[in-house]
Amino acid sequence: MSLLKLYRLATIAATPFASALLNWRARRGKEDPERLAERMGESHRPRPRGRLVWLHGASLGETLSLLPLIDRFIQRGLDVLVTSGTVSSAKVLSARLPAGAFHQYAPLDAPKFVERFLDHWRPDIAVFAESELWPNIVAAVCARGAPLVLANARISRRSAERWRAIPGAAKSVFGAVDLCLAQDSDNAARFLALGARCVRIAGNLKFDVPPPPADSARLAEFNAAIGARPAWAAVSTHAGEEDIVLDAHVEMTAKTPSLLTIIAPRHRERGAEIVEAARARGLSAALRSQEPEPRRDVDVYVVDSVGELGLVFRSVGVVLMGNSLLPGGGGQNPIEAAKLGCAILHGPYVENFTEVYAEFAAAKAAARASDAVSVARAADYLLSEPARMRKMGRAAAETVERLGGASRGIMNAVEPYLAQMAVAQR
């Protein structure tokens, strides 16, 4: 029996336990307790009458990358269903989706839930972001004859190696994709090796995503609270990296005692843990969920809210991108910070965004640091040399502007499918 058949049987056997699993996750803040039925394929929203495009991204970053496509599909007169699997993505999308698009949580990859979902929505085309392919979903979409497109496609070297260890399953899953639009040549080669049939290079959609918004009143209050204090931020940090950031803060305060360090962890539920780590170093720390602005006596301000990176990026000139300082990280997307003119720092482990950081390095739009001492040295230099900081920020913004255009290329590539949809509707 093939691995995919075993997987299908396993998901069928696990289906009766899905409700208990989802309730357990809801208690841990990993699911929306009001919308658990959506994870089992149910929906209370009626399907629109016309042609429907289904766009899916795993979590916040992937779904935000789809925003330029959403706008273009709506301009074509199509309704757009957007699915994702995380609470944070749902909250942010609720504020950023345009009219004509709506969000639902993706069903768990069990045949019963997938079929229920597809019976209701009946998408005319499915566009998935990056490499978010679940075997039962892929098989069900293909069985119904809807084209399956992988947009902004990328897969890490480690993930590709895991798939290559099961070549039969890889060929069945990736070979079912009608069109794979890869971010670059390296990713295109990986998808071809895994069995994808039609692979093209279309660029990175994240360069086309508009910068994250910020409420003007909140931004004014936040900037007023910071005042003239030198401030920098570490965003999308992971466990272990905050220790490096806090040690860098201590190092920098020898010269800049009024320094404010803002930390926006990737997982906001870790906020209290970061505050405790700061206080263990003798620093004053506060959570945004408890203090709406950083007081003048606060050394470390932890942004444990969702959807406020736009506020952070507009309030500081120097940003350290997390998930890059420790082995196994892979980096976080620096494009949003670059669009808002931030000078960018990053660690040595950025293999998930190699192309982006290579472009930044060539344009002198980012600097690499590896530990607390080098982070402190780089951040302190930029804060003390505002002209250099602004020059780096401008170079970053110009770089991402130059690299844009993927959404236009992707729409051109899917045009034949849209034309078929229009003919079928007549």
Side-chain angles (χ1 to χ4, degrees):
M1 186 179 293
S2 71
L3 282 175
L4 289 184
K5 286 183 178 178
L6 285 172
Y7 173 83
R8 182 178 178 84
L9 291 174
T11 54
I12 291 172
T15 298
F17 306 101
S19 181
L21 171 65
L22 290 169
N23 278 292
W24 176 78
R25 285 176 52 83
R27 289 193 295 273
R28 293 168 55 88
K30 300 292 187 181
E31 300 284 349
D32 185 340
E34 304 284 323
R35 299 173 61 182
L36 294 183
E38 294 179 21
R39 298 290 268 157
M40 293 184 282
E42 297 180 12
S43 178
H44 300 295
R45 177 191 289 268
R47 185 199 187 280
R49 291 179 177 272
R51 295 170 293 163
L52 179 70
V53 179
W54 174 23
L55 296 177
H56 172 70
S59 56
L60 181 57
E62 293 86 351
T63 47
L64 287 180
S65 73
L66 294 170
L67 285 174
L69 290 185
I70 293 169
D71 286 333
R72 289 180 180 270
F73 281 125
I74 290 173
Q75 290 166 11
R76 291 291 305 273
L78 304 169
D79 290 295
V80 180
L81 165 67
V82 184
T83 63
S84 63
T86 63
V87 174
S88 60
S89 62
K91 288 182 177 178
V92 173
L93 286 171
S94 68
R96 297 190 66 174
L97 283 180
F102 41 91
H103 175 268
Q104 173 160 331
Y105 284 107
L108 299 177
D109 194 41
K112 179 179 178 180
F113 304 150
V114 173
E115 295 296 337
R116 181 186 289 161
F117 174 90
L118 293 175
D119 284 343
H120 178 81
W121 290 111
R122 305 185 311 281
D124 294 284
I125 184 172
V127 181
F128 293 176
E130 301 198 2
S131 55
E132 180 69 359
L133 295 174
W134 290 90
N136 291 327
I137 291 177
V138 169
V141 169
C142 293
R144 292 170 183 245
L148 175 57
V149 178
L150 202 56
N152 213 39
R154 76 175 181 94
I155 186 168
S156 69
R157 188 176 293 107
R158 282 183 296 172
S159 294
E161 288 171 354
R162 286 196 291 268
W163 276 107
R164 277 198 293 270
I166 46 174
K171 187 174 182 180
S172 294
V173 172
F174 291 95
V177 175
D178 293 282
L179 178 61
C180 176
L181 300 170
Q183 292 184 13
D184 53 44
S185 57
D186 288 343
N187 280 292
R190 291 182 196 129
F191 283 111
L192 283 168
L194 292 173
R197 294 174 289 124
C198 182
V199 180
R200 303 181 197 173
I201 299 171
N204 191 337
L205 265 178
K206 291 181 179 179
F207 289 117
D208 290 1
V209 177
D215 179 85
S216 57
R218 288 184 179 180
L219 179 61
E221 293 168 356
F222 197 75
N223 283 332
I226 295 175
R229 295 177 67 184
W232 70 301
V235 305
S236 297
T237 53
H238 288 238
E241 293 187 308
E242 293 89 8
D243 291 324
I244 296 173
V245 173
L246 293 171
D247 289 344
H249 175 95
V250 172
E251 183 90 8
M252 293 165 70
T253 51
K255 287 175 56 179
T256 314
S258 62
L259 178 70
L260 173 65
T261 293
I262 299 171
I263 300 177
R266 176 67 171 167
H267 303 291
R268 61 191 179 95
E269 63 271 16
R270 297 185 52 250
E273 166 192 332
I274 298 166
V275 166
E276 288 304 311
R279 290 172 178 167
R281 289 167 170 79
L283 303 173
S284 171
L287 290 169
R288 181 159 175 77
S289 60
Q290 298 176 2
E291 309 235 5
E293 282 89 36
R295 303 186 316 271
R296 294 191 64 82
D297 62 341
V298 167
D299 302 308
V300 177
Y301 189 66
V302 180
V303 178
D304 59 340
S305 52
V306 174
E308 291 201 296
L309 285 185
L311 180 145
V312 173
F313 293 150
R314 287 175 172 86
S315 301
V316 300
V318 180
V319 171
L320 170 69
M321 297 305 305
N323 201 30
S324 66
L325 291 168
L326 300 174
Q332 293 290 159
N333 174 23
I335 296 171
E336 290 183 334
K339 287 206 167 194
L340 291 170
C342 297
I344 295 168
L345 305 179
H346 63 88
Y349 305 103
V350 293
E351 56 268 26
N352 290 342
F353 299 91
T354 302
E355 180 193 14
V356 180
Y357 282 109
E359 293 283 353
F360 283 169
K364 297 183 179 179
R368 171 174 155 168
S370 57
D371 55 21
V373 173
S374 56
V375 168
R377 186 182 300 121
D380 188 60
Y381 168 72
L382 290 169
L383 290 172
S384 63
E385 297 285 345
R388 174 59 182 158
M389 179 179 68
R390 288 192 294 269
K391 185 176 180 180
M392 276 185 69
R394 283 196 302 271
E398 290 167 0
T399 299
V400 296
E401 178 67 23
R402 173 173 54 82
L403 294 172
S407 60
R408 181 173 57 253
I410 290 172
M411 289 301 294
N412 289 337
V414 302
E415 181 59 38
Y417 300 110
L418 302 184
Q420 290 174 10
M421 289 163 53
V423 170
Q425 193 182 30
R426 291 175 187 159

